[in-house]
Amino acid sequence: MQLTDLTAVQLLDGYRKGEFGPVEATGQALERARRIQPEVNAFVRLLEEEAYARARESEERWRRGEPAGLLDGVPVTVKDILLLRGHPTLRGSKAVSERGRWDEDAPSVARLREHGAVFIGKTTTPEYGWKGVTDSPLSGVTRNPHAPSRTAGGSSGGSAAAVALGAGPLSLGTDGGGSIRIPAAFCGIFGLKPTYGRVPLYPASAFGTLAHVGPMTRDAADAALMLDVIGVPDPRDWSALPAPTRSFRAALDGGVHGLRMAYSPTLGGQVAVQPAVAAAVRRAVAGLADLGAYVEEADPDFSDPVEAFHTLWFAGAARVTGHLPPHLRKLLDPGLREICVPGARASALDYLAAVDVRMDLGRRMGLFHERYDLLLTPAMPLTAFEAGREVPPGSGLRRWTGWTPFTYPFNLTQQPAATVPVGTDDDGLPVGLQIVAARHRDDLVLRAAHALYGAELTLGGS
């Protein structure tokens, strides 16, 4: 049996029934990771010795009928932005030294550890997670599992590729402007950016309250399970939300009957969408209507907030690199160096003006969700383009934000948003649908996505 094809829920069911164990599942996940690495480059390091040790401990607990938690024995990967105790977190940068104690877990990693997850590797990221594709001076180019000449997206591209290819069913990603949803769309997996604060973050991101931590998984059920584990407070994050009052898994089966959904195919004509992408998204939206949702075409009331996003994003980039001496700054990704220049020049008044845009956008979306439970859009207006480039060749675009206008607005508003794979283009490249809810309604996003999986309206079916 190929355990690499199973979801976390299916693995746990197999452990419970004694059909196989964590050691076998971990071994197959590691073997798959080793096999895909030369072509796809999803990992900065594999943790084989540690993974097998944790898997053996888990197997003994399952033998006694005493699993440690909700994810005991499930192979998991972690984006190399998040701290994992005992291993360097280099953030895709040659400017970060491996020397150090590395004796602390990020909050989400700590919760996974407490629940018995088996860490098999750290996944690739662009330097400091600054852009929507995954290549860095440290680890090179991460490639798309469906077509290695194409990008996996980013900045959680290594995590998306690992999950898509069976190197662990779960991965921790981060999303400051689309960095979970972009690679989920390009690689054909499920990715959730939860409400800001739902998953605590420590150390704090240089990109401030734009940055979210969330699950990247095979389907919505796995994401709900993972969110139940990682979506609890941690004292190191002052902005963390209180513990949820209900399990996200328990909310999955509510279905979509009667939910009010707005379908915005182009954000009011602001976005040019490839025809194959538009068609796949439209079919999925029609499927939700067939399942009983009330769907109408309607656009949220906002214009592209990219300039405000750039002010906040570029200032964050300048801040995270500002301490570096000249000889280390020379090692940075050239694009990162470029955006640090306007970021460093931004004044406090510029920053506050961008915050004003953000607050108004939040007001507009709050009112929008008085009428609609969910907003449906394409996750991306295009499918994966050539690997190793920040923008599609010939597009005339300067920065990565030019080709992902559906994602970063909802970092500004801190809303939950997910990518669901809903088909492919003529080249077999995945297409994603984005589902957005009001703040704190992560349950509705997961419910709608789960309904799509249950109705086999997603890439690969249920």
PDB file of all heavy atoms in Angstrom, residues 187-212:
ATOM      1  N   CYS A 187       0.075  24.184  -7.293  1.00  0.00           N
ATOM      2  CA  CYS A 187       0.461  22.781  -7.090  1.00  0.00           C
ATOM      3  C   CYS A 187      -0.728  21.841  -6.917  1.00  0.00           C
ATOM      4  O   CYS A 187      -0.547  20.627  -6.834  1.00  0.00           O
ATOM      5  CB  CYS A 187       1.383  22.657  -5.878  1.00  0.00           C
ATOM      6  SG  CYS A 187       2.991  23.455  -6.091  1.00  0.00           S
ATOM      7  N   GLY A 188      -1.942  22.379  -6.825  1.00  0.00           N
ATOM      8  CA  GLY A 188      -3.124  21.528  -6.772  1.00  0.00           C
ATOM      9  C   GLY A 188      -3.399  20.917  -5.414  1.00  0.00           C
ATOM     10  O   GLY A 188      -3.849  19.768  -5.330  1.00  0.00           O
ATOM     11  N   ILE A 189      -3.174  21.668  -4.324  1.00  0.00           N
ATOM     12  CA  ILE A 189      -3.494  21.182  -2.990  1.00  0.00           C
ATOM     13  C   ILE A 189      -4.432  22.176  -2.306  1.00  0.00           C
ATOM     14  O   ILE A 189      -4.786  23.209  -2.874  1.00  0.00           O
ATOM     15  CB  ILE A 189      -2.231  20.972  -2.132  1.00  0.00           C
ATOM     16  CG1 ILE A 189      -1.558  22.320  -1.803  1.00  0.00           C
ATOM     17  CG2 ILE A 189      -1.253  20.032  -2.826  1.00  0.00           C
ATOM     18  CD1 ILE A 189      -0.567  22.245  -0.663  1.00  0.00           C
ATOM     19  N   PHE A 190      -4.812  21.855  -1.071  1.00  0.00           N
ATOM     20  CA  PHE A 190      -5.634  22.756  -0.270  1.00  0.00           C
ATOM     21  C   PHE A 190      -4.730  23.594   0.627  1.00  0.00           C
ATOM     22  O   PHE A 190      -3.799  23.075   1.246  1.00  0.00           O
ATOM     23  CB  PHE A 190      -6.604  21.960   0.605  1.00  0.00           C
ATOM     24  CG  PHE A 190      -7.531  22.829   1.406  1.00  0.00           C
ATOM     25  CD1 PHE A 190      -8.630  23.427   0.800  1.00  0.00           C
ATOM     26  CD2 PHE A 190      -7.300  23.066   2.751  1.00  0.00           C
ATOM     27  CE1 PHE A 190      -9.482  24.252   1.534  1.00  0.00           C
ATOM     28  CE2 PHE A 190      -8.146  23.879   3.483  1.00  0.00           C
ATOM     29  CZ  PHE A 190      -9.243  24.462   2.877  1.00  0.00           C
ATOM     30  N   GLY A 191      -5.008  24.893   0.706  1.00  0.00           N
ATOM     31  CA  GLY A 191      -4.234  25.772   1.575  1.00  0.00           C
ATOM     32  C   GLY A 191      -5.133  26.791   2.225  1.00  0.00           C
ATOM     33  O   GLY A 191      -5.939  27.434   1.546  1.00  0.00           O
ATOM     34  N   LEU A 192      -5.021  26.932   3.539  1.00  0.00           N
ATOM     35  CA  LEU A 192      -5.864  27.859   4.298  1.00  0.00           C
ATOM     36  C   LEU A 192      -5.029  28.920   4.990  1.00  0.00           C
ATOM     37  O   LEU A 192      -4.101  28.600   5.741  1.00  0.00           O
ATOM     38  CB  LEU A 192      -6.658  27.090   5.359  1.00  0.00           C
ATOM     39  CG  LEU A 192      -7.444  27.945   6.371  1.00  0.00           C
ATOM     40  CD1 LEU A 192      -8.582  28.689   5.670  1.00  0.00           C
ATOM     41  CD2 LEU A 192      -7.982  27.084   7.506  1.00  0.00           C
ATOM     42  N   LYS A 193      -5.345  30.180   4.728  1.00  0.00           N
ATOM     43  CA  LYS A 193      -4.857  31.302   5.524  1.00  0.00           C
ATOM     44  C   LYS A 193      -5.941  31.604   6.541  1.00  0.00           C
ATOM     45  O   LYS A 193      -6.983  32.170   6.201  1.00  0.00           O
ATOM     46  CB  LYS A 193      -4.605  32.526   4.647  1.00  0.00           C
ATOM     47  CG  LYS A 193      -4.150  33.756   5.441  1.00  0.00           C
ATOM     48  CD  LYS A 193      -4.070  34.997   4.568  1.00  0.00           C
ATOM     49  CE  LYS A 193      -5.423  35.590   4.250  1.00  0.00           C
ATOM     50  NZ  LYS A 193      -6.101  36.182   5.445  1.00  0.00           N
ATOM     51  N   PRO A 194      -5.755  31.221   7.801  1.00  0.00           N
ATOM     52  CA  PRO A 194      -6.809  31.457   8.785  1.00  0.00           C
ATOM     53  C   PRO A 194      -6.946  32.942   9.120  1.00  0.00           C
ATOM     54  O   PRO A 194      -6.119  33.774   8.739  1.00  0.00           O
ATOM     55  CB  PRO A 194      -6.333  30.671  10.013  1.00  0.00           C
ATOM     56  CG  PRO A 194      -5.230  29.772   9.528  1.00  0.00           C
ATOM     57  CD  PRO A 194      -4.621  30.476   8.363  1.00  0.00           C
ATOM     58  N   THR A 195      -7.999  33.261   9.843  1.00  0.00           N
ATOM     59  CA  THR A 195      -8.121  34.597  10.415  1.00  0.00           C
ATOM     60  C   THR A 195      -6.837  34.957  11.151  1.00  0.00           C
ATOM     61  O   THR A 195      -6.261  34.121  11.863  1.00  0.00           O
ATOM     62  CB  THR A 195      -9.301  34.643  11.403  1.00  0.00           C
ATOM     63  OG1 THR A 195     -10.511  34.321  10.712  1.00  0.00           O
ATOM     64  CG2 THR A 195      -9.429  36.015  12.044  1.00  0.00           C
ATOM     65  N   TYR A 196      -6.398  36.193  10.993  1.00  0.00           N
ATOM     66  CA  TYR A 196      -5.178  36.606  11.689  1.00  0.00           C
ATOM     67  C   TYR A 196      -5.324  36.380  13.199  1.00  0.00           C
ATOM     68  O   TYR A 196      -6.339  36.735  13.805  1.00  0.00           O
ATOM     69  CB  TYR A 196      -4.866  38.080  11.428  1.00  0.00           C
ATOM     70  CG  TYR A 196      -3.625  38.505  12.180  1.00  0.00           C
ATOM     71  CD1 TYR A 196      -2.372  38.209  11.671  1.00  0.00           C
ATOM     72  CD2 TYR A 196      -3.708  39.109  13.420  1.00  0.00           C
ATOM     73  CE1 TYR A 196      -1.221  38.534  12.377  1.00  0.00           C
ATOM     74  CE2 TYR A 196      -2.571  39.447  14.132  1.00  0.00           C
ATOM     75  CZ  TYR A 196      -1.329  39.151  13.602  1.00  0.00           C
ATOM     76  OH  TYR A 196      -0.197  39.446  14.313  1.00  0.00           O
ATOM     77  N   GLY A 197      -4.309  35.772  13.801  1.00  0.00           N
ATOM     78  CA  GLY A 197      -4.312  35.493  15.229  1.00  0.00           C
ATOM     79  C   GLY A 197      -4.870  34.139  15.590  1.00  0.00           C
ATOM     80  O   GLY A 197      -4.707  33.686  16.729  1.00  0.00           O
ATOM     81  N   ARG A 198      -5.553  33.483  14.646  1.00  0.00           N
ATOM     82  CA  ARG A 198      -6.080  32.147  14.940  1.00  0.00           C
ATOM     83  C   ARG A 198      -4.938  31.177  15.239  1.00  0.00           C
ATOM     84  O   ARG A 198      -5.033  30.316  16.127  1.00  0.00           O
ATOM     85  CB  ARG A 198      -6.908  31.658  13.757  1.00  0.00           C
ATOM     86  CG  ARG A 198      -7.488  30.253  13.848  1.00  0.00           C
ATOM     87  CD  ARG A 198      -8.662  30.178  14.797  1.00  0.00           C
ATOM     88  NE  ARG A 198      -8.256  30.120  16.200  1.00  0.00           N
ATOM     89  CZ  ARG A 198      -8.927  30.675  17.200  1.00  0.00           C
ATOM     90  NH1 ARG A 198     -10.022  31.361  16.969  1.00  0.00           N
ATOM     91  NH2 ARG A 198      -8.496  30.584  18.439  1.00  0.00           N
ATOM     92  N   VAL A 199      -3.844  31.282  14.465  1.00  0.00           N
ATOM     93  CA  VAL A 199      -2.642  30.485  14.719  1.00  0.00           C
ATOM     94  C   VAL A 199      -1.554  31.441  15.190  1.00  0.00           C
ATOM     95  O   VAL A 199      -1.113  32.306  14.431  1.00  0.00           O
ATOM     96  CB  VAL A 199      -2.184  29.724  13.463  1.00  0.00           C
ATOM     97  CG1 VAL A 199      -0.943  28.885  13.782  1.00  0.00           C
ATOM     98  CG2 VAL A 199      -3.308  28.840  12.932  1.00  0.00           C
ATOM     99  N   PRO A 200      -1.115  31.326  16.438  1.00  0.00           N
ATOM    100  CA  PRO A 200      -0.103  32.262  16.950  1.00  0.00           C
ATOM    101  C   PRO A 200       1.201  32.196  16.157  1.00  0.00           C
ATOM    102  O   PRO A 200       1.557  31.143  15.610  1.00  0.00           O
ATOM    103  CB  PRO A 200       0.108  31.786  18.395  1.00  0.00           C
ATOM    104  CG  PRO A 200      -1.122  31.017  18.728  1.00  0.00           C
ATOM    105  CD  PRO A 200      -1.563  30.372  17.449  1.00  0.00           C
ATOM    106  N   LEU A 201       1.894  33.329  16.126  1.00  0.00           N
ATOM    107  CA  LEU A 201       3.161  33.434  15.409  1.00  0.00           C
ATOM    108  C   LEU A 201       4.211  34.034  16.330  1.00  0.00           C
ATOM    109  O   LEU A 201       3.994  35.088  16.934  1.00  0.00           O
ATOM    110  CB  LEU A 201       2.990  34.311  14.175  1.00  0.00           C
ATOM    111  CG  LEU A 201       4.235  34.545  13.302  1.00  0.00           C
ATOM    112  CD1 LEU A 201       4.776  33.233  12.774  1.00  0.00           C
ATOM    113  CD2 LEU A 201       3.903  35.492  12.159  1.00  0.00           C
ATOM    114  N   TYR A 202       5.322  33.335  16.441  1.00  0.00           N
ATOM    115  CA  TYR A 202       6.480  33.828  17.194  1.00  0.00           C
ATOM    116  C   TYR A 202       7.718  33.173  16.597  1.00  0.00           C
ATOM    117  O   TYR A 202       7.686  31.970  16.296  1.00  0.00           O
ATOM    118  CB  TYR A 202       6.367  33.483  18.685  1.00  0.00           C
ATOM    119  CG  TYR A 202       7.654  33.752  19.446  1.00  0.00           C
ATOM    120  CD1 TYR A 202       7.932  35.022  19.935  1.00  0.00           C
ATOM    121  CD2 TYR A 202       8.609  32.748  19.606  1.00  0.00           C
ATOM    122  CE1 TYR A 202       9.130  35.284  20.588  1.00  0.00           C
ATOM    123  CE2 TYR A 202       9.805  32.998  20.256  1.00  0.00           C
ATOM    124  CZ  TYR A 202      10.061  34.259  20.750  1.00  0.00           C
ATOM    125  OH  TYR A 202      11.250  34.517  21.377  1.00  0.00           O
ATOM    126  N   PRO A 203       8.804  33.927  16.415  1.00  0.00           N
ATOM    127  CA  PRO A 203       8.929  35.379  16.573  1.00  0.00           C
ATOM    128  C   PRO A 203       7.981  36.129  15.631  1.00  0.00           C
ATOM    129  O   PRO A 203       7.589  35.602  14.582  1.00  0.00           O
ATOM    130  CB  PRO A 203      10.387  35.644  16.197  1.00  0.00           C
ATOM    131  CG  PRO A 203      11.082  34.334  16.317  1.00  0.00           C
ATOM    132  CD  PRO A 203      10.063  33.311  15.970  1.00  0.00           C
ATOM    133  N   ALA A 204       7.652  37.352  16.012  1.00  0.00           N
ATOM    134  CA  ALA A 204       6.765  38.160  15.188  1.00  0.00           C
ATOM    135  C   ALA A 204       7.369  38.377  13.809  1.00  0.00           C
ATOM    136  O   ALA A 204       8.579  38.517  13.661  1.00  0.00           O
ATOM    137  CB  ALA A 204       6.513  39.509  15.861  1.00  0.00           C
ATOM    138  N   SER A 205       6.518  38.391  12.807  1.00  0.00           N
ATOM    139  CA  SER A 205       6.980  38.617  11.440  1.00  0.00           C
ATOM    140  C   SER A 205       7.375  40.075  11.245  1.00  0.00           C
ATOM    141  O   SER A 205       6.735  40.989  11.776  1.00  0.00           O
ATOM    142  CB  SER A 205       5.879  38.251  10.446  1.00  0.00           C
ATOM    143  OG  SER A 205       6.224  38.657   9.132  1.00  0.00           O
ATOM    144  N   ALA A 206       8.417  40.296  10.440  1.00  0.00           N
ATOM    145  CA  ALA A 206       8.775  41.669  10.063  1.00  0.00           C
ATOM    146  C   ALA A 206       7.657  42.320   9.266  1.00  0.00           C
ATOM    147  O   ALA A 206       7.575  43.551   9.204  1.00  0.00           O
ATOM    148  CB  ALA A 206      10.057  41.657   9.239  1.00  0.00           C
ATOM    149  N   PHE A 207       6.796  41.502   8.659  1.00  0.00           N
ATOM    150  CA  PHE A 207       5.678  42.031   7.872  1.00  0.00           C
ATOM    151  C   PHE A 207       4.444  42.263   8.742  1.00  0.00           C
ATOM    152  O   PHE A 207       3.350  42.518   8.223  1.00  0.00           O
ATOM    153  CB  PHE A 207       5.371  41.093   6.708  1.00  0.00           C
ATOM    154  CG  PHE A 207       6.544  40.920   5.786  1.00  0.00           C
ATOM    155  CD1 PHE A 207       7.260  39.734   5.771  1.00  0.00           C
ATOM    156  CD2 PHE A 207       6.966  41.947   4.966  1.00  0.00           C
ATOM    157  CE1 PHE A 207       8.363  39.571   4.934  1.00  0.00           C
ATOM    158  CE2 PHE A 207       8.053  41.804   4.117  1.00  0.00           C
ATOM    159  CZ  PHE A 207       8.757  40.611   4.111  1.00  0.00           C
ATOM    160  N   GLY A 208       4.627  42.195  10.040  1.00  0.00           N
ATOM    161  CA  GLY A 208       3.592  42.579  10.979  1.00  0.00           C
ATOM    162  C   GLY A 208       2.337  41.753  10.868  1.00  0.00           C
ATOM    163  O   GLY A 208       2.377  40.541  10.660  1.00  0.00           O
ATOM    164  N   THR A 209       1.201  42.438  10.969  1.00  0.00           N
ATOM    165  CA  THR A 209      -0.077  41.739  11.018  1.00  0.00           C
ATOM    166  C   THR A 209      -0.617  41.369   9.641  1.00  0.00           C
ATOM    167  O   THR A 209      -1.781  40.991   9.499  1.00  0.00           O
ATOM    168  CB  THR A 209      -1.113  42.582  11.775  1.00  0.00           C
ATOM    169  OG1 THR A 209      -1.237  43.863  11.154  1.00  0.00           O
ATOM    170  CG2 THR A 209      -0.699  42.765  13.227  1.00  0.00           C
ATOM    171  N   LEU A 210       0.226  41.442   8.625  1.00  0.00           N
ATOM    172  CA  LEU A 210      -0.098  40.841   7.328  1.00  0.00           C
ATOM    173  C   LEU A 210       0.154  39.339   7.335  1.00  0.00           C
ATOM    174  O   LEU A 210      -0.427  38.604   6.538  1.00  0.00           O
ATOM    175  CB  LEU A 210       0.743  41.473   6.218  1.00  0.00           C
ATOM    176  CG  LEU A 210       0.522  42.945   5.896  1.00  0.00           C
ATOM    177  CD1 LEU A 210       1.593  43.432   4.913  1.00  0.00           C
ATOM    178  CD2 LEU A 210      -0.872  43.173   5.319  1.00  0.00           C
ATOM    179  N   ALA A 211       1.038  38.872   8.211  1.00  0.00           N
ATOM    180  CA  ALA A 211       1.569  37.512   8.141  1.00  0.00           C
ATOM    181  C   ALA A 211       0.728  36.538   8.962  1.00  0.00           C
ATOM    182  O   ALA A 211       0.484  36.755  10.147  1.00  0.00           O
ATOM    183  CB  ALA A 211       3.014  37.491   8.631  1.00  0.00           C
ATOM    184  N   HIS A 212       0.294  35.459   8.318  1.00  0.00           N
ATOM    185  CA  HIS A 212      -0.518  34.421   8.930  1.00  0.00           C
ATOM    186  C   HIS A 212       0.227  33.086   8.834  1.00  0.00           C
ATOM    187  O   HIS A 212       1.016  32.868   7.917  1.00  0.00           O
ATOM    188  CB  HIS A 212      -1.856  34.251   8.206  1.00  0.00           C
ATOM    189  CG  HIS A 212      -2.685  35.503   8.112  1.00  0.00           C
ATOM    190  ND1 HIS A 212      -4.020  35.531   8.425  1.00  0.00           N
ATOM    191  CD2 HIS A 212      -2.381  36.774   7.734  1.00  0.00           C
ATOM    192  CE1 HIS A 212      -4.515  36.748   8.239  1.00  0.00           C
ATOM    193  NE2 HIS A 212      -3.524  37.513   7.811  1.00  0.00           N
TER     194      HIS A 212
END
